[in-house]
Amino acid sequence: MSDYDVVRVFCGPRGGYGNELGVVREGSVMPDPHERQLFAEKLGFSETVFVDDPERGVIDIYTPTLRLPFAGRPCVGTAWLLDVPELVTAAGTVGARQDGEFCWIEARAEWVPPRTLRRYATAAEVDALAVPPKGEWVYAWAWEDESAGRVRARAFPGRVDERGDSGSGGAGACAGGIDEDEATGAAALLLTDRLGRALNITQGAGSQILTAPQPYGWTEIGGRVVLER
């Protein structure tokens, strides 16, 4: 196995929660896409990043079953780890910046596959949701405080493998069809693009995602990152 780092992305205010990401800093040791796919499957993280050029920020993103042109959590985590001003993904160039305890990236909604953004009347309704039946990729959300832009959200990828039809092939998709994804930057990007305003999202058990719309169709996504090993 190649050496790799593990970071948790979109952690809560005290550093807990968030979602794990594997990062292979020396992607040159494993240039073959098939080998990378097998390695990502073996690691079993929602996403694994291979860094092909650490100075320019060129990266290659894989779930355990397919390659992704873009995903929010891998970009935030890798930008924080490499401390670079931008990342080059298959979808396009992603701006990056550090701001105190938060790492931010700038991306576009059209890079993200469609998700069902399902609004509920209250945060308590979102909290009480059972896992939906197998099928569509659902981002359930409600306002906690609309005037302050505070959102309660939970993400349900559809419980199918990415090779299947439901919840497949998307940024932030997860291995083996998990019931619920703790933190999903791409879905937060879509919600921000739809609402057209900055958001402070509490997702899953306690992850925090910050977003802000930018000019010309760009959206910033920010969060805390913790190095696990």
Side-chain angles (χ1 to χ4, degrees), residues 23-45:
V23 181
V24 180
R25 294 206 207 197
E26 296 294 333
S28 60
V29 303
M30 195 180 297
D32 180 66
H34 179 67
E35 285 187 58
R36 291 182 174 187
Q37 188 65 77
L38 291 176
F39 189 67
E41 181 180 6
K42 186 174 292 187
L43 290 184
F45 297 119

Side-chain angles (χ1 to χ4, degrees), residues 2 20 24 27 38 50 62 65 78 85 95 98 100 136 142 152-154 156 176 180 182 196 199 206 222-223:
S2 176
E20 287 187 326
V24 180
L38 291 176
F50 296 85
Y62 289 78
T65 56
T78 307
Q98 310 289 332
E136 62 187 331
R152 174 71 175 113
R154 294 172 65 192
F156 303 103
E180 182 171 353
E182 175 63 23
L199 302 175

